[in-house]
Amino acid sequence: MILETSRLILRPWRPEDAPALYQLAKDPRVGPAAGWPPHTSVENSRELIEGVLSAPYTFAVVLRETGGPVGSIGLLFGEGSNLPLKEGEAEIGYWLGVPYWGQGLIPEAVRELLRHGFEELGLERVWCGYFEGNDKSRRVQEKCGFLYCRTDREVPWPLMGDVRTEHITCLSRARWLAGCAGKS
């Protein structure tokens, strides 16, 4: 499955994306803020493409202009999520390589994946979270219409071997249909 916006193509990750993924994901400003350790090699990135990033509804965020990946986005369902999701709900997660920050690319990708989720998958609610201090992710969620729901404190985070505070937001189908997403 491929989704498209004016500047982006959201497509499945490919093994040949490993060198580009490594260049983006080795930066310590990216992974730890999103809850995963920096990539350690091209082979590490290839293994993650073949495992974690091959999950359904997980996409490389690709610039139309260059054809290269600049980040990742995906919908998580059921036990694939860290949140207690009900039928008709999903969690959205995303990250973007540092050279592409501040260009509105992730909000554009999030809006397209929300459209797909609500219109084509029939979702009723999409959840999202951001860790304490990750103001960039918080701002993406605000721009895309998500509303604050709760804060979970002292959440063990095995991937990073630490304990975190996570803020949880949500966007309902009704709010999305009312046009509230993307007005911030």
Side-chain angles (χ1 to χ4, degrees):
M1 170 187 321
I2 295 175
L3 303 172
E4 299 185 32
T5 72
S6 61
R7 298 185 294 169
L8 302 172
I9 298 169
L10 308 182
R11 61 151 172 85
W13 283 94
R14 304 172 183 150
E16 59 267 27
D17 292 327
L21 174 57
Y22 173 63
Q23 288 304 311
L24 298 169
K26 70 179 182 178
D27 191 311
R29 294 172 289 179
V30 177
W36 45 268
H39 290 201
T40 56
S41 66
V42 172
E43 186 54 37
N44 175 226
S45 292
R46 186 173 287 105
E47 289 168 1
L48 288 164
I49 288 170
E50 292 169 355
V52 175
L53 298 176
S54 67
Y57 302 104
T58 299
F59 302 93
V61 177
V62 175
L63 282 181
R64 279 183 179 280
E65 185 178 302
T66 65
V70 297
S72 189
I73 191 166
L75 287 173
L76 304 168
F77 298 87
E79 293 184 13
S81 170
N82 296 312
L83 302 173
L85 301 177
K86 297 176 183 168
E87 188 71 28
E89 296 183 343
E91 176 186 2
I92 194 168
Y94 50 81
W95 63 266
L96 187 69
V98 174
Y100 306 97
W101 288 1
Q103 299 174 37
L105 297 172
I106 282 296
E108 186 174 323
V110 167
R111 287 183 188 109
E112 176 57 17
L113 198 50
L114 288 170
R115 183 207 59 75
H116 177 72
F118 289 128
E119 288 184 359
E120 296 171 29
L121 300 179
L123 294 175
E124 290 300 323
R125 191 168 276 107
V126 177
W127 296 87
C128 198
Y130 63 93
F131 293 118
E132 185 77 28
N134 190 344
D135 293 330
K136 288 176 178 35
S137 188
R138 175 187 53 79
R139 187 66 188 124
V140 167
Q141 292 167 47
E142 289 170 353
K143 286 179 182 178
C144 293
F146 285 81
L147 296 176
Y148 171 82
C149 289
R150 70 176 189 274
T151 296
D152 294 341
R153 299 187 188 285
E154 298 189 26
V155 177
W157 207 256
L159 274 177
M160 293 300 293
D162 61 12
V163 174
R164 296 177 171 226
T165 296
E166 185 175 21
H167 304 284
I168 308 298
T169 64
C170 186
L171 179 62
S172 68
R173 171 196 284 275
R175 181 172 166 78
W176 181 79
L177 284 171
C180 295
K183 293 196 176 181
S184 301

